[in-house]
Amino acid sequence: MADEPIPLAKPVLGQAEERAVIDVLRSGQLSLGPKLGEFEALFAERIGAPYASAVSSGTAGLHLALRAAGVQAGDEVITSPFSFVASANAILYCDATPVFADIDPVTLNLDPAAAEAAITPRTKAILPVHIFGYPADMPAFERIAGEHGLALVEDACEALGARHADGAPVGGRRNPAVFGFYANKQLTTGEGGMVTLADAKLKQQIDSERNQGRAPDMDWLDHDRLGFNYRLSELACALGIAQLDRLDEMLTQRASVAGSYRDALGAIDGVQLPCPDAGGDERGWFVFVVQLPAGADRGEVIRALAAHGIQSKPYLPAIHLMSFYRERTSRGEGRYPICERVAERSLALPFFPEMSEQQVQRVAACLSDALERGAAPRAAGAARARSGGMAAS
Ligand SMILES: Cc1ncc(COP(=O)(O)O)c(C=O)c1O
């Protein structure tokens, strides 16, 4: 019998979400209605931020947050090369230049010392990313930003549920912080995002720019600045409200799956697990990314897992080595060696709140098997033969 597929990610959606969306459909108001303000208020409260602005995606939120921070054409913004490409793209949307700096080898977040060394007279802002839900060292970045007169915008797209050592939720430190609600995130609205803020004027600017530059009092067709269509629909906001209700439960489930992985993978030689919480910082579990032993053939591991119906993904590739960025920045290999070493070996395994212990065990056994076989070309063939099926990739 073929192995039951194990996807990389899977949202938890139940009757509450169905009811919430149907209620909006029946109300007839599908955008710019009451769910928008309700979702924003509940989210801000959850993060402990004075304000929140809902937007159509995390990427849109990053674009508007950078604009609100004053980033303009010709500016430089220092950020991590080990992130989803959207964090660097949003800087380019502002006609500014992303300047990468290397990462910390343990947390995999932007290294504050490397970021400080990258400051030039053109630097306008720093954009730390809370990668894989682990809190970036915001106290250090706040000190650096204060000393050099720079703005800070936090990419918290992967970090809902994470906390800093002082107990503050990520996104609640008064810097504009951006969350993402794509389908694999801790909370999903299908597509969507949220910017948390401490400044009423910045909220006004973001609310206007997400709606084509319309005046906040919604005077009909008075567009007093350049804007975009980055609105989040009422359907998505209703979904978000329903997801917020079950967020604590989903975060607990994610942490429990991570614990099972830790136990199951701990004994596999050379596989490096995500760093444990340290110094009081707490990860908001988003993905479970391991680093394979040096020299392992990652492509073959992926094929061997796929032969057993298990999805996995090289995650994340280094942004500065992507062809678009290579051409743009003319910076090739060797420039950010820690990021490159990590990116070469990183593999995201299936990870979602309702993942069972048995599924975790299956992933661990297949991974161990693939590595024992040296993850050489033979491994995929052998795995296919054992499962009697075709590789999924
Ligand atoms: C670190 C990071 N930044 C930005 C984004 C962009 O978010 P979205 O896909 O909602 O535009 C993501 C989403 O995957 C992300 O992981």
Side-chain angles (χ1 to χ4, degrees):
M1 201 175 72
D3 293 322
E4 191 195 323
I6 308 181
L8 207 48
K10 193 170 157 204
V12 182
L13 298 169
Q15 285 181 351
E17 283 80 359
E18 278 178 33
R19 267 197 310 272
V21 170
I22 287 169
D23 284 350
V24 171
L25 285 175
R26 288 187 176 148
S27 79
Q29 180 137 26
L30 303 190
S31 191
L32 294 174
K35 295 295 171 195
L36 173 63
E38 190 184 337
F39 186 31
E40 289 176 338
L42 289 169
F43 196 87
E45 188 187 341
R46 164 90 204 191
I47 298 297
Y51 307 103
S53 292
V55 286
S56 55
S57 69
T59 311
L62 287 167
H63 185 190
L64 295 189
L66 287 167
R67 284 173 61 89
V71 174
Q72 294 180 348
D75 290 338
E76 292 179 352
V77 179
I78 297 168
T79 193
S80 173
F82 191 63
S83 176
F84 184 61
V85 69
S87 47
N89 283 350
I91 297 167
L92 290 177
Y93 297 168
C94 300
D95 289 323
T97 305
V99 172
F100 298 115
D102 215 343
I103 59 170
D104 180 282
V106 176
T107 66
L108 312 185
N109 280 322
L110 182 63
D111 176 356
E116 189 165 21
I119 293 173
T120 74
R122 288 174 58 199
T123 307
K124 175 72 186 180
I126 306 179
L127 175 60
V129 182
H130 305 280
I131 204 68
F132 303 158
Y134 197 83
D137 186 354
M138 290 317 299
F141 288 117
E142 284 159 6
R143 179 192 58 75
I144 295 166
E147 283 174 14
H148 295 267
L150 304 177
L152 276 178
V153 173
E154 302 179 35
D155 182 339
C157 283
E158 302 190 350
L160 183 55
R163 279 182 190 277
H164 293 284
D166 64 359
V170 161
R173 293 182 69 91
R174 307 187 73 80
N175 312 305
V178 182
F179 294 84
F181 304 142
Y182 180 65
N184 64 348
K185 296 294 193 293
Q186 291 91 334
L187 176 154
T188 187
T189 58
E191 297 282 359
M194 189 76 79
V195 186
T196 53
L197 297 148
D199 183 322
K201 275 217 173 77
L202 294 191
K203 169 156 171 74
Q204 248 186 26
Q205 181 178 339
I206 288 177
D207 288 357
S208 168
E209 291 189 359
R210 77 178 166 196
N211 191 22
Q212 303 288 13
R214 192 113 146 235
D217 63 7
M218 295 289 288
D219 275 353
W220 186 240
L221 289 184
D222 183 10
H223 298 250
D224 57 0
R225 66 177 89 222
L226 175 67
F228 309 85
N229 178 357
Y230 287 164
R231 295 185 298 263
L232 191 64
S233 77
E234 286 288 281
L235 297 158
C237 290
L239 200 50
I241 294 166
Q243 288 266 287
L244 265 178
D245 261 353
R246 62 165 92 236
L247 179 61
D248 283 325
E249 189 192 344
M250 292 191 293
L251 289 172
T252 304
Q253 286 175 307
R254 281 180 182 271
S256 161
V257 173
S260 299
Y261 260 131
R262 229 174 244 301
D263 294 342
L265 299 177
I268 306 180
D269 236 14
V271 170
Q272 202 173 317
L273 303 182
C275 71
D277 291 347
D281 287 335
E282 280 176 37
R283 189 190 295 270
W285 280 98
F286 164 53
V287 279
F288 200 90
V289 175
V290 298
Q291 286 171 58
L292 296 181
D297 184 335
R298 184 170 58 179
E300 285 306 328
V301 171
I302 291 170
R303 277 187 283 278
L305 293 175
H308 288 275
I310 297 168
Q311 267 190 349
S312 62
K313 195 162 157 186
Y315 189 81
L316 288 155
I319 297 177
H320 66 286
L321 298 183
M322 294 177 180
S323 46
F324 175 74
Y325 278 90
R326 254 183 217 268
E327 282 163 23
R328 197 151 189 120
T329 60
S330 60
R331 283 177 186 160
E333 275 95 352
R335 180 87 194 194
Y336 310 106
I338 302 171
C339 165
E340 289 169 28
R341 260 201 318 274
V342 170
E344 253 170 33
R345 295 171 49 200
S346 288
L347 185 70
L349 299 175
F351 187 69
F352 45 91
E354 292 178 336
M355 195 170 172
S356 69
E357 181 68 36
Q358 197 191 10
Q359 287 175 312
V360 170
Q361 294 298 336
R362 230 180 87 202
V363 175
C366 287
L367 179 62
S368 170
D369 191 46
L371 289 170
E372 250 172 48
R373 289 160 188 271
R378 278 183 306 110
R384 265 197 296 276
R386 273 200 315 284
S387 71
M390 296 279 289
S393 57

